[in-house]
Amino acid sequence: MNTRFLDGRSARAHPAEVEIVDGVLIIRADGAEHAWALKGVKVDQHGGEARLSHRGSRDARLVMPLADWKTLSGPHGKAIARRGGRRETALVLSLAAMGLGITAFVFWGVPALSGPLARATPVGFEQRMGENFENQMGVLFQRCEGQEGQYLLEDLGRRIAARADTPFDVRVRAVHAPMINAFALPGGPILVTDDLIREAETPDELSAVIAHEVSHIEKRHVMQAVWRSLGIGLLLDAVVGGGSGAGQQAVILAGQATDLRYGREAESEADQRGQSLLHALGLSSKGMAPFFARLDRSEGVDEAAEFMATHPDSRRRAAAARSRERAGAPALTATEWAAVKAACGTRSDGPIDRLERRFGVGDRPPRPNQGDQMGQD
Amino acid sequence: MTDETLGGPPADDDHKPAPDVAPSPVSEHSETTGEALVFESTLKPSSFLGLSLKNGLLNIITLTLYRFWGKTEVRRRVWQGIRLNGDAFEYTGRGMELFIGFLLALLVLGLPFLLVVFGAQFLGPGYALAVVLPLYLFIFWLWGFGVFTAFRYLASRTTWRGIRFRLQGSAMGYGFYYIGAVLLSGITLGWYWPTAERSLAERLWGELRFGDRRVRFSMGKAQKVGVYGPFALGWLLTLLPYLLLFTVVAMIAAMNAPMMSMVETVPVPPPPAPVPPVPEVAVMMISYLIALILAPLVMLVWAPYQAAMMRSIAAGVSIDGASFTLDVKAIPLWWMTVSNLAVMLFTLGFLTPWVQARTARWLIQRLKSTGTAQIDATGQTGTGPKTGEGLADAFGFSLI
């Protein structure tokens, strides 16, 4: 193997003679002389060959046996290799800094921006979005049949919402769903599951849940969560470029954790505001604490686990609610309460349900993917 | 000189004398003189294990932003491990180019796309469909466009003996052809696809240039390698399980018909829930398991077709008097693909560079050429695109 010069103009290789004079590589080939300052020289080593290129002429290459290059370059060769190493370190450091910056923005910037963004979202937008959500949820969860109970629930929601500072038309309705939960959707709809109604022992407990949901709507927590999930999701998707490697998955998981963390703050705020709304109506706010406490105790029951996932810190929240609670009128009379309890039929847990729950299967609906806060509470 | 001026009538290209090159001794037989093309691979996949580890770790500490540079380094090393007549290919692309290409794709396409999809949430359901549907059609076009631009970028960043490759032709046109190909294939239950795939290959390889030398694609030669036989095999074997399932279901229904009418008179316990929900994790695990079992089978069924298509496309390509054969057989191809996928799966993508080196070596070992090409007389022309294959990257695919 000999030293060959490829001039970058034709694919013909020219035999070449090379020497280094004062930090300049002199190449003589095909009757011409080329001078490459070593500062701009890059060396690729592969298969026993050194392949040299120079900043000044993009396409030209000098190819020589690696041993020849080592003899020729001596200390220069090492300097060139070091330069390459330094460049890579600088690249990795700046990319890592960019990664850190993006992480910081995802963890703190996006959640901080989501509140103002939610408040700036036009009411009409949120309502239309809520309608779309509601249609999607309607496919999953069917409305309970008891008309009177539904009417009473809706009326209770309206009474509480009248005390709240919200432009939205709050519409509470009971739905069949295999979990103990209630959802505030964007723009006013509130869904309460049949299992939650069954689990509630007093009208106070149910009214506390509804007041909590109304507060979510008033504070536009759902919209805030939509913006937050969207911001985090968009940003992280943008960074990882939709790839599916392990690194990408880790990044996306971290994003979801952030989303959950900020969801908890909204829950506590809604507890507090919900109790105030009940007080303003002269209703008892003593239902909230026992309800949380009971769900906290019924660990191991899958439905409670579902509730816990969207309502973390039940014990702490129960204690906080107890410290704020005030006595007042019950939200519903005994007859009304009976009608509400009957709204979703008398179906108690069937044997299949119980078995499924026992083995922890068959009971979780697909988690809504519009940000977990669609199940805000 | 720009790409456009060189684009001209294609026939000009290979009769244009390269001015700055000494004439070959027997210039009147320009088609017959020249070199035979001998490909050789010096790739050692095991030497990519360290690179795999390095890329993986750097990806993690840079929030995956290093991936553009990592990919570039892998390509650089794969390219230099492939030799033609003793000289290595060289990949001259830079990570920064891919990064900028990705950012451009994000800005020009990703952002508007997401805004439209998100905006549709605020619209009525009818409107949402009207907006989202054309968008999905657009994605097909974009896919074709992305494949073409990625190929163009790769060509422009590939050099051999200092001469660059380049891809002429129109990425937009390729995108439109791609939509047509997909739609026609859909209408014909897939039977148009082999024809479409060869035409798509013609639109890529026929537009490729090595410097001022033209790479040609002859559909006639490509068609000498039959692909419809293996396609029919794949198609029928794919259909078979569906037919079986359908028959079994129909038979069960027929047998149970009297029983079912009886059952209806008996009070049935109410259905447990509107949607029979199964925990997502279990559903996911089960579907992954099924995919894990089914994927190799599906690949096996289609491997003869894939191998035939690769042979067919290689047979269609020529440069001057040199034509190519790619000796890919169904079972080795299947094993290569399945083992690659398994490695990727179990290392969570960490060993991607190793897989790529291994695949490249495997292909180059099977690539042969007959006839000669006047590669010595090739002159440099044109420049390539300035930024990388952003679109292709945004879609998560890449030729290598």
Short mmCIF file of all heavy atoms in Angstrom, two decimals, chain A residues 37-76:
data_model
loop_
_atom_site.label_atom_id
_atom_site.label_comp_id
_atom_site.label_asym_id
_atom_site.label_seq_id
_atom_site.Cartn_x
_atom_site.Cartn_y
_atom_site.Cartn_z
N ALA A 37 -2.40 23.04 6.08
CA ALA A 37 -1.95 23.38 7.43
C ALA A 37 -2.45 22.30 8.38
O ALA A 37 -3.63 21.93 8.34
CB ALA A 37 -2.49 24.74 7.83
N LEU A 38 -1.59 21.79 9.24
CA LEU A 38 -1.99 20.69 10.12
C LEU A 38 -3.14 21.07 11.05
O LEU A 38 -3.88 20.21 11.51
CB LEU A 38 -0.79 20.22 10.95
CG LEU A 38 0.21 19.34 10.19
CD1 LEU A 38 1.38 18.97 11.07
CD2 LEU A 38 -0.48 18.07 9.68
N LYS A 39 -3.26 22.37 11.31
CA LYS A 39 -4.35 22.84 12.18
C LYS A 39 -5.72 22.43 11.65
O LYS A 39 -6.64 22.18 12.42
CB LYS A 39 -4.32 24.37 12.26
CG LYS A 39 -3.59 24.90 13.46
CD LYS A 39 -3.80 26.40 13.55
CE LYS A 39 -3.14 26.94 14.79
NZ LYS A 39 -3.07 28.40 14.76
N GLY A 40 -5.85 22.41 10.33
CA GLY A 40 -7.16 22.11 9.74
C GLY A 40 -7.28 20.67 9.28
O GLY A 40 -8.25 20.32 8.61
N VAL A 41 -6.33 19.83 9.65
CA VAL A 41 -6.34 18.46 9.16
C VAL A 41 -7.12 17.54 10.09
O VAL A 41 -7.06 17.65 11.31
CB VAL A 41 -4.89 17.93 9.00
CG1 VAL A 41 -4.86 16.42 8.82
CG2 VAL A 41 -4.22 18.60 7.80
N LYS A 42 -7.92 16.67 9.48
CA LYS A 42 -8.64 15.65 10.26
C LYS A 42 -8.15 14.28 9.80
O LYS A 42 -7.91 14.08 8.61
CB LYS A 42 -10.14 15.77 9.99
CG LYS A 42 -10.99 15.75 11.24
CD LYS A 42 -12.46 15.82 10.89
CE LYS A 42 -13.02 14.43 10.76
NZ LYS A 42 -14.24 14.34 9.97
N VAL A 43 -8.00 13.37 10.75
CA VAL A 43 -7.49 12.04 10.39
C VAL A 43 -8.48 10.96 10.82
O VAL A 43 -8.91 10.94 11.97
CB VAL A 43 -6.14 11.76 11.09
CG1 VAL A 43 -5.57 10.42 10.62
CG2 VAL A 43 -5.16 12.87 10.81
N ASP A 44 -8.86 10.12 9.89
CA ASP A 44 -9.66 8.94 10.20
C ASP A 44 -8.76 7.73 10.10
O ASP A 44 -8.05 7.58 9.12
CB ASP A 44 -10.78 8.78 9.18
CG ASP A 44 -11.99 9.59 9.55
OD1 ASP A 44 -12.13 9.90 10.75
OD2 ASP A 44 -12.78 9.94 8.67
N GLN A 45 -8.83 6.88 11.12
CA GLN A 45 -7.99 5.68 11.07
C GLN A 45 -8.89 4.46 11.00
O GLN A 45 -9.77 4.29 11.83
CB GLN A 45 -7.11 5.59 12.31
CG GLN A 45 -6.22 6.80 12.44
CD GLN A 45 -5.33 6.75 13.66
OE1 GLN A 45 -5.41 5.83 14.44
NE2 GLN A 45 -4.49 7.76 13.80
N HIS A 46 -8.66 3.66 9.97
CA HIS A 46 -9.48 2.45 9.87
C HIS A 46 -8.79 1.46 8.96
O HIS A 46 -8.24 1.84 7.93
CB HIS A 46 -10.86 2.78 9.32
CG HIS A 46 -11.70 1.56 9.16
ND1 HIS A 46 -12.32 0.95 10.23
CD2 HIS A 46 -11.99 0.81 8.08
CE1 HIS A 46 -12.96 -0.11 9.80
NE2 HIS A 46 -12.78 -0.22 8.50
N GLY A 47 -8.84 0.21 9.32
CA GLY A 47 -8.32 -0.85 8.46
C GLY A 47 -6.87 -0.65 8.08
O GLY A 47 -6.50 -0.88 6.93
N GLY A 48 -6.05 -0.19 9.00
CA GLY A 48 -4.62 -0.02 8.72
C GLY A 48 -4.29 1.18 7.85
O GLY A 48 -3.17 1.34 7.39
N GLU A 49 -5.34 2.01 7.63
CA GLU A 49 -5.14 3.18 6.78
C GLU A 49 -5.39 4.45 7.56
O GLU A 49 -6.23 4.48 8.46
CB GLU A 49 -6.16 3.16 5.65
CG GLU A 49 -5.72 2.44 4.42
CD GLU A 49 -6.82 2.49 3.36
OE1 GLU A 49 -7.85 3.16 3.58
OE2 GLU A 49 -6.64 1.86 2.33
N ALA A 50 -4.66 5.50 7.19
CA ALA A 50 -5.01 6.83 7.69
C ALA A 50 -5.58 7.60 6.51
O ALA A 50 -5.02 7.57 5.42
CB ALA A 50 -3.78 7.53 8.23
N ARG A 51 -6.72 8.21 6.75
CA ARG A 51 -7.38 8.96 5.68
C ARG A 51 -7.45 10.41 6.14
O ARG A 51 -8.13 10.74 7.11
CB ARG A 51 -8.77 8.38 5.46
CG ARG A 51 -9.64 9.12 4.49
CD ARG A 51 -10.97 8.41 4.36
NE ARG A 51 -10.79 7.18 3.59
CZ ARG A 51 -11.10 7.08 2.30
NH1 ARG A 51 -11.64 8.09 1.66
NH2 ARG A 51 -10.91 5.95 1.67
N LEU A 52 -6.74 11.26 5.45
CA LEU A 52 -6.64 12.67 5.88
C LEU A 52 -7.51 13.56 5.01
O LEU A 52 -7.61 13.37 3.79
CB LEU A 52 -5.17 13.14 5.76
CG LEU A 52 -4.22 12.77 6.89
CD1 LEU A 52 -3.95 11.28 6.89
CD2 LEU A 52 -2.92 13.55 6.76
N SER A 53 -8.14 14.52 5.68
CA SER A 53 -8.88 15.54 4.93
C SER A 53 -8.53 16.89 5.51
O SER A 53 -7.96 16.98 6.60
CB SER A 53 -10.39 15.29 5.03
OG SER A 53 -10.76 15.24 6.39
N HIS A 54 -8.87 17.93 4.80
CA HIS A 54 -8.50 19.27 5.25
C HIS A 54 -9.69 20.20 5.08
O HIS A 54 -10.44 20.10 4.12
CB HIS A 54 -7.31 19.78 4.44
CG HIS A 54 -6.78 21.07 4.96
ND1 HIS A 54 -6.99 22.27 4.34
CD2 HIS A 54 -6.05 21.34 6.07
CE1 HIS A 54 -6.40 23.24 5.04
NE2 HIS A 54 -5.83 22.70 6.10
N ARG A 55 -9.84 21.08 6.08
CA ARG A 55 -10.93 22.05 6.08
C ARG A 55 -11.05 22.78 4.75
O ARG A 55 -12.14 23.09 4.28
CB ARG A 55 -10.68 23.08 7.18
CG ARG A 55 -11.53 22.90 8.40
CD ARG A 55 -11.65 24.17 9.18
NE ARG A 55 -10.36 24.83 9.37
CZ ARG A 55 -9.76 24.99 10.55
NH1 ARG A 55 -10.31 24.51 11.63
NH2 ARG A 55 -8.64 25.63 10.65
N GLY A 56 -9.89 23.13 4.16
CA GLY A 56 -9.87 23.99 2.98
C GLY A 56 -10.39 23.32 1.71
O GLY A 56 -10.91 23.99 0.83
N SER A 57 -10.27 22.01 1.60
CA SER A 57 -10.77 21.35 0.38
C SER A 57 -11.61 20.17 0.80
O SER A 57 -11.10 19.13 1.21
CB SER A 57 -9.60 20.89 -0.50
OG SER A 57 -8.69 20.15 0.27
N ARG A 58 -12.92 20.37 0.67
CA ARG A 58 -13.88 19.46 1.26
C ARG A 58 -13.74 18.02 0.77
O ARG A 58 -13.90 17.08 1.53
CB ARG A 58 -15.27 20.00 0.91
CG ARG A 58 -16.35 19.53 1.83
CD ARG A 58 -17.64 20.19 1.46
NE ARG A 58 -18.49 19.22 0.78
CZ ARG A 58 -19.71 19.49 0.36
NH1 ARG A 58 -20.20 20.69 0.49
NH2 ARG A 58 -20.43 18.56 -0.20
N ASP A 59 -13.46 17.86 -0.51
CA ASP A 59 -13.55 16.52 -1.08
C ASP A 59 -12.22 15.78 -1.21
O ASP A 59 -12.22 14.57 -1.36
CB ASP A 59 -14.22 16.60 -2.45
CG ASP A 59 -15.63 17.14 -2.37
OD1 ASP A 59 -16.38 16.63 -1.51
OD2 ASP A 59 -15.97 18.07 -3.11
N ALA A 60 -11.13 16.52 -1.18
CA ALA A 60 -9.84 15.87 -1.40
C ALA A 60 -9.47 15.01 -0.20
O ALA A 60 -9.77 15.34 0.95
CB ALA A 60 -8.77 16.93 -1.64
N ARG A 61 -8.79 13.88 -0.49
CA ARG A 61 -8.36 12.97 0.58
C ARG A 61 -6.94 12.50 0.30
O ARG A 61 -6.55 12.30 -0.86
CB ARG A 61 -9.25 11.72 0.62
CG ARG A 61 -10.71 11.98 0.94
CD ARG A 61 -10.92 12.36 2.38
NE ARG A 61 -12.33 12.55 2.67
CZ ARG A 61 -12.97 13.72 2.53
NH1 ARG A 61 -12.32 14.80 2.09
NH2 ARG A 61 -14.24 13.82 2.82
N LEU A 62 -6.22 12.31 1.38
CA LEU A 62 -4.90 11.70 1.28
C LEU A 62 -4.98 10.38 2.05
O LEU A 62 -5.32 10.38 3.24
CB LEU A 62 -3.86 12.63 1.90
CG LEU A 62 -2.42 12.12 1.82
CD1 LEU A 62 -1.92 12.23 0.39
CD2 LEU A 62 -1.51 12.93 2.74
N VAL A 63 -4.68 9.30 1.37
CA VAL A 63 -4.78 7.98 2.02
C VAL A 63 -3.39 7.37 2.08
O VAL A 63 -2.69 7.32 1.06
CB VAL A 63 -5.73 7.05 1.23
CG1 VAL A 63 -5.92 5.74 1.98
CG2 VAL A 63 -7.06 7.73 0.99
N MET A 64 -2.99 6.93 3.26
CA MET A 64 -1.68 6.29 3.38
C MET A 64 -1.72 5.22 4.47
O MET A 64 -2.62 5.23 5.31
CB MET A 64 -0.61 7.33 3.72
CG MET A 64 -0.78 7.98 5.07
SD MET A 64 0.65 8.97 5.49
CE MET A 64 0.30 10.46 4.60
N PRO A 65 -0.76 4.29 4.41
CA PRO A 65 -0.73 3.28 5.47
C PRO A 65 -0.59 3.96 6.83
O PRO A 65 0.12 4.96 6.95
CB PRO A 65 0.51 2.45 5.13
CG PRO A 65 0.72 2.67 3.68
CD PRO A 65 0.26 4.06 3.39
N LEU A 66 -1.28 3.42 7.80
CA LEU A 66 -1.33 4.05 9.12
C LEU A 66 0.08 4.20 9.71
O LEU A 66 0.42 5.23 10.29
CB LEU A 66 -2.20 3.19 10.04
CG LEU A 66 -2.52 3.77 11.41
CD1 LEU A 66 -3.16 5.14 11.27
CD2 LEU A 66 -3.46 2.85 12.17
N ALA A 67 0.91 3.15 9.50
CA ALA A 67 2.27 3.20 10.06
C ALA A 67 3.05 4.37 9.46
O ALA A 67 3.74 5.10 10.18
CB ALA A 67 2.97 1.88 9.78
N ASP A 68 2.87 4.57 8.16
CA ASP A 68 3.55 5.68 7.48
C ASP A 68 3.12 7.02 8.09
O ASP A 68 3.93 7.92 8.30
CB ASP A 68 3.22 5.69 5.98
CG ASP A 68 3.88 4.53 5.26
OD1 ASP A 68 4.49 3.69 5.95
OD2 ASP A 68 3.76 4.46 4.03
N TRP A 69 1.82 7.14 8.31
CA TRP A 69 1.30 8.40 8.88
C TRP A 69 1.88 8.65 10.26
O TRP A 69 2.28 9.77 10.60
CB TRP A 69 -0.22 8.41 8.92
CG TRP A 69 -0.82 9.48 9.78
CD1 TRP A 69 -1.54 9.30 10.91
CD2 TRP A 69 -0.72 10.90 9.59
NE1 TRP A 69 -1.91 10.49 11.45
CE2 TRP A 69 -1.40 11.51 10.65
CE3 TRP A 69 -0.11 11.71 8.62
CZ2 TRP A 69 -1.53 12.90 10.80
CZ3 TRP A 69 -0.22 13.09 8.76
CH2 TRP A 69 -0.92 13.67 9.85
N LYS A 70 1.97 7.57 11.06
CA LYS A 70 2.49 7.72 12.42
C LYS A 70 3.94 8.17 12.38
O LYS A 70 4.34 9.05 13.15
CB LYS A 70 2.33 6.42 13.20
CG LYS A 70 0.87 6.25 13.63
CD LYS A 70 0.66 5.14 14.64
CE LYS A 70 -0.73 5.22 15.23
NZ LYS A 70 -1.25 3.89 15.59
N THR A 71 4.70 7.57 11.49
CA THR A 71 6.10 7.97 11.38
C THR A 71 6.20 9.42 10.92
O THR A 71 6.98 10.23 11.46
CB THR A 71 6.82 7.10 10.32
OG1 THR A 71 6.33 5.77 10.43
CG2 THR A 71 8.31 7.14 10.48
N LEU A 72 5.38 9.75 9.93
CA LEU A 72 5.44 11.09 9.34
C LEU A 72 5.00 12.16 10.34
O LEU A 72 5.65 13.20 10.50
CB LEU A 72 4.54 11.15 8.11
CG LEU A 72 4.42 12.50 7.41
CD1 LEU A 72 5.72 12.83 6.70
CD2 LEU A 72 3.27 12.50 6.40
N SER A 73 3.89 11.90 11.04
CA SER A 73 3.30 12.98 11.85
C SER A 73 3.97 13.12 13.20
O SER A 73 4.09 14.23 13.73
CB SER A 73 1.81 12.72 12.03
OG SER A 73 1.63 11.50 12.72
N GLY A 74 4.38 12.00 13.81
CA GLY A 74 5.02 12.09 15.13
C GLY A 74 4.10 12.78 16.12
O GLY A 74 2.92 12.42 16.23
N PRO A 75 4.61 13.77 16.85
CA PRO A 75 3.81 14.45 17.87
C PRO A 75 2.60 15.18 17.27
O PRO A 75 1.59 15.35 17.95
CB PRO A 75 4.79 15.43 18.50
CG PRO A 75 5.91 15.57 17.52
CD PRO A 75 5.99 14.30 16.76
N HIS A 76 2.71 15.63 16.01
CA HIS A 76 1.58 16.32 15.39
C HIS A 76 0.34 15.43 15.39
O HIS A 76 -0.78 15.90 15.63
CB HIS A 76 1.90 16.67 13.94
CG HIS A 76 3.02 17.67 13.79
ND1 HIS A 76 2.94 18.94 14.31
CD2 HIS A 76 4.23 17.58 13.21
CE1 HIS A 76 4.06 19.59 14.03
NE2 HIS A 76 4.87 18.78 13.37
#
